[in-house]
Amino acid sequence: MVSADVAAARRGPRRGESFAARAARAVGRIVVSSAAREVAESTCTAEVLQQPVTTGRQIAVTSIRGGAGKSTVAALLGTTYSHYRQDPVLLVEADPALGSLPLRLGAESLRWTIGDVADIVEPQMSLLDVTGYLVQLPGNAWLLPGSQGQIGAMLDTRAYERVMVSLRRYFGVTVVDCETLPAEVARVALSAAQARVLTAPATLEGIASTHAVLQWMQGLPRHMIAGTVVVLTELVPHRGVDLDKAVARLEATGAGVHVLPYDRHLAAGGAIHTGLLARSTRQTAARLSADVFQLSQKRH
């Protein structure tokens, strides 16, 4: 995936929060214990994430522009589902223009792409046959990349639709890392998915453009915006906007909204190690995954 000389430029992975923040939280738990509430919340979230499905749920993640945390959010969703669920989970990179999902998931090498598998998969194949063409990830998760890291790779809508229809019955949940809007494959993925996640940077520009997209979605069939969750990603440690007001304005369109807080581990790039994520990041990822999964269950 990454040549040795390029990989050498990256420092060791950092924890998502500082030692001081971790120590302050530990002291707070001693002074005012909130363990019972945390356990109750975690149990409720786990129950939602472990609900059975009658048919595979497909969740599309996209953004309006690059650098909005799209692949990061897709990776967090996929790893959360694979942690809680017993059935296989698939992550699809439908962004062939040097997408970063394989890097975020720690894939060391790639072989088969969506275009390859579209010509190979057949109805009589077993799960074991299918996974032979996928990249195995930790847990019960699998990755199907959009390209092999080559500039100029193309992905047509026919190949995407053929793959998604064929693989749906093998996986309980499929998370799709789409191209940025308004790319054709992204539009097809959004319309076919049971739930949609729209990522945007937590900046004035990101919020304004996201609000414009949600207003456009209000003119589409009701289930489109009702099944959409916006994720505002904090790319810097200090906020430059009032996120409470921004969330309220975006929620007024009918979409759900989550804020993914700044995390030093995520900001450094590279493979995501869940054990190094800040506690607030892990909690947000779990709540987001549960909300999106519930939305996907409402459309059959």
Side-chain angles (χ1 to χ4, degrees), residues 4 9 11 31 40 78 105 124 147 170 176 182-183 194 202 232 245 250 290 296:
R11 296 179 177 178
V31 177
L105 294 171
Q124 69 271 21
S147 71
Y170 298 101
V176 185
Q194 284 77 45
L232 298 177
K245 292 182 179 179
L250 295 177
S296 73

Side-chain angles (χ1 to χ4, degrees), residues 81-150:
Y81 292 133
S82 66
H83 173 74
Y84 283 97
R85 298 191 61 79
Q86 296 297 318
D87 47 14
V89 173
L90 176 64
L91 292 100
V92 176
E93 181 195 37
D95 184 359
L98 294 180
S100 58
L101 183 62
L103 290 172
R104 281 313 223 177
L105 294 171
E108 297 182 356
S109 61
L110 304 176
R111 192 170 57 153
W112 305 97
T113 67
I114 290 180
D116 299 326
V117 174
D119 297 327
I120 294 173
V121 66
E122 296 179 357
Q124 69 271 21
M125 283 185 169
S126 65
L127 176 62
L128 184 61
D129 295 330
V130 170
T131 54
Y133 298 101
L134 307 177
V135 178
Q136 187 169 10
L137 301 171
N140 202 19
W142 306 86
L143 166 68
L144 177 58
S147 71
Q148 295 174 330
Q150 299 172 344

Side-chain angles (χ1 to χ4, degrees), residues 54-216:
T54 53
T55 57
R57 304 287 90 183
Q58 295 181 358
I59 298 166
V61 184
T62 189
S63 63
I64 306 167
R65 62 187 70 182
K70 175 173 61 67
S71 296
T72 298
V73 170
L76 289 174
L77 287 172
T79 53
T80 301
Y81 292 133
S82 66
H83 173 74
Y84 283 97
R85 298 191 61 79
Q86 296 297 318
D87 47 14
V89 173
L90 176 64
L91 292 100
V92 176
E93 181 195 37
D95 184 359
L98 294 180
S100 58
L101 183 62
L103 290 172
R104 281 313 223 177
L105 294 171
E108 297 182 356
S109 61
L110 304 176
R111 192 170 57 153
W112 305 97
T113 67
I114 290 180
D116 299 326
V117 174
D119 297 327
I120 294 173
V121 66
E122 296 179 357
Q124 69 271 21
M125 283 185 169
S126 65
L127 176 62
L128 184 61
D129 295 330
V130 170
T131 54
Y133 298 101
L134 307 177
V135 178
Q136 187 169 10
L137 301 171
N140 202 19
W142 306 86
L143 166 68
L144 177 58
S147 71
Q148 295 174 330
Q150 299 172 344
I151 295 177
M154 298 297 293
L155 174 62
D156 62 80
T157 56
R158 291 181 181 177
Y160 174 80
E161 291 175 332
R162 191 158 60 247
V163 164
M164 297 305 289
V165 170
S166 300
L167 298 185
R168 181 173 178 174
R169 66 188 181 91
Y170 298 101
F171 300 92
V173 179
T174 298
V175 179
V176 185
D177 181 9
C178 303
E179 297 174 288
T180 56
L181 291 171
E184 186 178 5
V185 173
R187 296 199 305 272
V188 171
L190 290 176
S191 62
Q194 284 77 45
R196 288 151 291 282
V197 178
L198 180 62
T199 65
T203 61
L204 183 60
E205 295 84 355
I207 294 167
S209 24
T210 299
H211 186 260
V213 171
L214 294 177
Q215 286 182 312
W216 167 75

